[in-house]
Amino acid sequence: MALLKVLLLLGLGVSVNSDVSLQKRIIGGHDCAVTERLYHVRLESSNGTHTSLCGGSLIHPKWILTAAHCCKSETGWINLAKLKVHPGTSRPVISRIYTNPVVYAPGEWQHGIMLLKLQTPVTNVPLAPLPDCIYSLRKDDVVQLAGEGATTTGPNNQQLSYAAAAPHLQCVDMKVVETSHFLQPYGHVFFTAAVNKDVCYGDSGSAALFNGKVHGVIYPGGTNSACQRPVMDVCEYIGWIKTKTGP
């Protein structure tokens, strides 16, 4: 597999039929440790016929950080946030209906990052640690991406619609190959890459970590090849995030 670039802010969302045949994918990764990413959120939107999946991070008892397209506002859709999906144990999954999506849109178009407000706060799930942003990511820094779902691709790296999903949240380490810059229509992004490793279709909204803190949010691209996509730079939005979520 060629060196693949991943854009870390926006994440890859996926719309699927009711049997959730399309899944998130991490290629060349490993099971995330049972002690990490306990704040990972599975975002599901459904209209009774189709289901849309994304990832997210609980950064506040009432707020989830994710990608801008990971909420369905059309009539008939129900949006759910499922917590405690990792580790995959017998612990009950907590579901919360989320409303009032807040997308960063300072001008005529919106960036690829979004906050979702929960109707009721979460009190028994660890919060995702945000960076202090004193340090700016540099080329060759190693970041960790994660997602749920299948871990294989088809010929020529084609995405497999019916590949079996991974039983555990998958993590993968990748190096920064392009530092933060502004890229329309997404916003502020940085790129990562690794040989035979990648995030893929459906991983939108999940966190990219550096030193254990959320420095990026994964976003979708526009190709069928696994996973030559763009990801977004949280530090460029940290002031907006703190203003919206409060203390």
Side-chain angles (χ1 to χ4, degrees):
M1 184 183 298
L3 191 67
L4 299 178
K5 292 183 177 180
V6 177
L7 185 61
L8 291 177
L9 165 55
L10 297 170
L12 304 171
V14 53
S15 293
V16 303
N17 58 22
S18 58
D19 63 3
V20 194
S21 57
L22 295 178
Q23 300 287 340
K24 307 171 189 178
R25 298 175 177 83
I26 289 290
I27 309 300
H30 58 275
D31 289 354
C32 298
V34 297
T35 57
E36 63 184 352
R37 292 184 180 263
L38 302 183
Y39 49 78
H40 179 78
V41 181
R42 182 185 301 152
L43 300 173
E44 296 183 358
S45 300
S46 177
N47 65 358
T49 303
H50 294 82
T51 299
S52 177
L53 301 179
C54 273
S57 301
L58 186 71
I59 62 170
H60 180 280
K62 294 190 71 173
W63 291 94
I64 294 167
L65 179 66
T66 186
H69 66 288
C70 290
C71 180
K72 299 292 186 181
S73 58
E74 297 89 345
T75 301
W77 285 83
I78 296 176
N79 298 304
L80 286 178
K82 294 189 175 180
L83 301 103
K84 292 191 173 183
V85 294
H86 176 71
T89 67
S90 57
R91 296 187 309 168
V93 174
I94 302 172
S95 295
R96 293 284 189 272
I97 296 176
Y98 56 88
T99 57
N100 303 325
V102 180
V103 179
Y104 185 80
E108 296 180 356
W109 56 276
Q110 66 182 31
H111 293 213
I113 192 166
M114 177 171 63
L115 292 165
L116 296 174
K117 189 172 185 179
L118 299 171
Q119 289 184 345
T120 56
V122 177
T123 58
N124 58 349
V125 176
L127 301 180
L130 295 174
D132 57 23
C133 296
I134 295 175
Y135 177 85
S136 297
L137 289 178
R138 302 170 184 172
K139 187 176 180 180
D140 294 331
D141 280 340
V142 176
V143 295
Q144 184 199 69
L145 287 71
E148 295 182 274
T151 57
T152 58
T153 60
N156 300 317
N157 292 331
Q158 292 298 306
Q159 299 168 6
L160 300 178
S161 298
Y162 299 98
H168 303 287
L169 185 69
Q170 295 291 294
C171 287
V172 64
D173 292 335
M174 303 180 76
K175 287 186 177 181
V176 174
V177 294
E178 293 184 28
T179 55
S180 181
H181 59 284
F182 186 82
L183 179 65
Q184 285 187 316
Y186 310 108
H188 299 277
V189 302
F190 60 90
F191 284 85
T192 65
V195 176
N196 295 330
K197 297 180 180 181
D198 216 338
V199 299
C200 199
Y201 198 57
D203 283 316
S204 279
S206 297
L209 305 183
F210 178 72
N211 285 341
K213 296 185 178 182
V214 180
H215 277 258
V217 177
I218 304 170
Y219 192 86
T223 173
N224 288 328
S225 296
C227 296
Q228 302 175 44
R229 318 263 182 199
V231 186
M232 290 181 71
D233 186 355
V234 166
C235 281
E236 292 291 342
Y237 302 94
I238 195 71
W240 169 77
I241 292 170
K242 291 182 177 180
T243 298
K244 293 299 181 180
T245 61

